[in-house]
Amino acid sequence: MNTNYNRISEAADTVIEKLQAAPEKVAGVQIPADIPHGDMPGDKIEIGDSHTAKAKTIFPKLVEELKKVMGSNKYGRAVVAVCGGSGVGKSEIASCLSYLLEQAGIGSYTMSGDNYPHRIPMYNDAERLHTFRESGIRAMVDAGVMSPENMEVLKKWQIAEDDANKAHAETDTWFKYYLEGGSKGLNDYLGTPKETDFEEVDQIMKSFKDGADKLFLKRMGRDEASLWYDEVDMSSKQVLIVEWTHGNSDYMSQVDIPVLLNSTPQETLEHRRSRNRDGKLDSPFTMMVLELEQQKLVDQAHKAKIIITKAGELISYDEFKKLMGI
């Protein structure tokens, strides 16, 4: 898919001229709350002052990075990934950056990576939980702590959706094997090709940078009937912004400029509440998912070209390591 297309005219020189003038041109631009946003069906975003402030902080640095990349692409194109923990504000900030680029005369499209899991959200959530539980039970067998008595206790916790609660290990020592095994199995699923079609996303980016005038992009809603492809006109776009937790993943090779929005799992959880995300937001399992995703972001942070803190400060990778205690 997305391997047969016509190409736009070469335009690197023209785009670089626009980039040179971009910071000054958008310096006084006010970003409205109702600007176009990513292409995730039904996604609810609320652009606030913190999002616009961060976007304006990022923008001059992003322009400098774009100059390096777009000057070496004969179509004057680049792929930017805005990544960070679930609910940290990726959709909002990516939309703001795209709006600023458009105001500077540089065509930009915002694409949501959340359209590319193999399963719709409810089934993917179920697969995550199944993977955690199956891996945990196998670990109990391997550790020699599988017994009818322990399973009876575990079953009650599972029914109560409390079987990822670390506190249980303090009173039931066998539970640590379930927790550790389940966490490892879940970690091997989250943000990997088992969960997401990274190959398809990478091909979209590759085709975009190869001058594709149109691309078929996936749309995934929250039920089985809400999955389709739209043909999107890219002929006037120079920047593809992918907003996605896994936008800086090693499973992709076509991202030019990863932008990391740093946050803690607790900060992410608060934002998810405001977004009405599916599932029980305060559950131990949800917190485990957020913590594992956070660790993946930390492990990949060395590749980020731009890192911004929750407080809206641009920091270097060395400063990031100090902030995160690594």
Side-chain angles (χ1 to χ4, degrees):
M1 186 175 292
N2 288 311
T3 56
N4 296 315
Y5 44 79
N6 296 318
R7 291 176 175 83
I8 63 171
S9 301
E10 297 181 13
D13 293 341
T14 305
V15 174
I16 295 301
E17 288 178 11
K18 291 179 180 178
L19 282 171
Q20 296 286 9
E24 184 177 351
K25 190 168 184 178
V26 305
V29 169
Q30 298 297 313
I31 304 176
D34 59 348
I35 61 174
H37 53 83
D39 55 11
M40 180 73 177
D43 202 15
K44 172 188 174 185
I45 73 167
E46 296 179 0
I47 294 174
D49 292 342
S50 66
H51 302 124
T52 58
K54 285 179 185 176
K56 288 205 165 188
T57 299
I58 293 169
F59 189 74
K61 176 66 173 172
L62 178 61
V63 168
E64 292 304 311
E65 294 295 334
L66 286 171
K67 287 178 187 176
K68 301 174 190 175
V69 175
M70 297 168 87
S72 59
N73 179 283
K74 63 182 180 180
Y75 301 104
R77 283 183 162 179
V79 173
V80 176
V82 176
C83 55
S86 176
V88 74
K90 298 181 297 296
S91 299
E92 293 87 347
I93 293 171
S95 298
C96 290
L97 291 173
S98 188
Y99 180 80
L100 292 174
L101 286 167
E102 289 280 351
Q103 293 301 300
I106 301 162
S108 177
Y109 182 86
T110 304
M111 167 181 152
S112 174
D114 286 342
N115 282 317
Y116 293 89
H118 296 298
R119 304 162 186 85
I120 62 173
M122 64 181 294
Y123 294 149
N124 193 46
D125 289 345
E127 185 64 23
R128 288 177 172 185
L129 184 59
H130 172 74
T131 298
F132 165 72
R133 289 178 171 173
E134 182 178 58
S135 300
I137 290 171
R138 285 178 172 173
M140 287 175 63
V141 174
D142 291 342
V145 296
M146 173 61 69
S147 70
E149 295 77 17
N150 290 345
M151 276 306 301
E152 183 178 356
V153 174
L154 180 60
K155 185 68 173 177
K156 292 178 181 177
W157 291 336
Q158 289 178 337
I159 292 172
E161 299 185 19
D162 196 41
D163 57 312
N165 191 337
K166 299 175 184 178
H168 295 317
E170 297 174 8
T171 54
D172 296 82
T173 55
W174 57 266
F175 179 71
K176 72 174 185 178
Y177 298 106
Y178 176 82
L179 194 64
E180 290 171 359
S183 177
K184 183 181 184 305
L186 180 60
N187 189 59
D188 290 343
Y189 176 79
L190 291 172
T192 73
K194 296 176 185 177
E195 181 177 43
T196 297
D197 195 339
F198 285 99
E199 185 176 350
E200 181 173 3
V201 178
D202 222 31
Q203 181 60 51
I204 289 168
M205 298 175 182
K206 182 178 180 181
S207 299
F208 177 78
K209 292 197 292 184
D210 189 42
D213 64 339
K214 296 178 182 178
L215 291 170
F216 278 97
L217 301 183
K218 188 178 178 184
R219 309 294 187 234
M220 178 181 284
R222 296 187 175 275
D223 60 71
E224 294 180 72
S226 299
L227 198 158
W228 71 96
Y229 280 82
D230 281 338
E231 187 178 43
V232 180
D233 185 355
M234 293 286 179
S235 60
S236 64
K237 307 301 181 184
Q238 281 79 52
V239 179
L240 176 63
I241 298 181
V242 181
E243 56 94 2
W244 194 16
T245 299
H246 306 297
N248 199 16
S249 173
D250 291 337
Y251 291 109
M252 294 185 297
S253 63
Q254 298 296 318
V255 174
D256 297 306
I257 307 169
V259 178
L260 174 60
L261 311 180
N262 194 37
S263 69
T264 66
Q266 290 73 25
E267 290 168 336
T268 323
L269 185 62
E270 289 304 315
H271 196 92
R272 281 171 65 92
R273 287 196 184 101
S274 71
R275 292 277 297 280
N276 264 334
R277 291 280 183 165
D278 295 335
K280 297 193 175 182
L281 298 179
D282 295 303
S283 75
F285 182 73
T286 295
M287 288 307 301
M288 177 180 285
V289 169
L290 295 179
E291 288 167 4
L292 291 174
E293 287 182 339
Q294 176 75 13
Q295 188 56 53
K296 290 178 185 287
L297 290 165
V298 169
D299 292 343
Q300 297 159 0
H302 65 280
K303 297 183 295 178
K305 301 294 186 183
I306 301 171
I307 304 175
I308 191 165
T309 66
K310 182 73 173 175
E313 300 175 357
L314 291 176
I315 59 174
S316 66
Y317 177 61
D318 287 338
E319 291 170 324
F320 169 84
K321 288 194 293 184
K322 289 180 182 178
L323 180 64
M324 303 301 288
I326 58 176

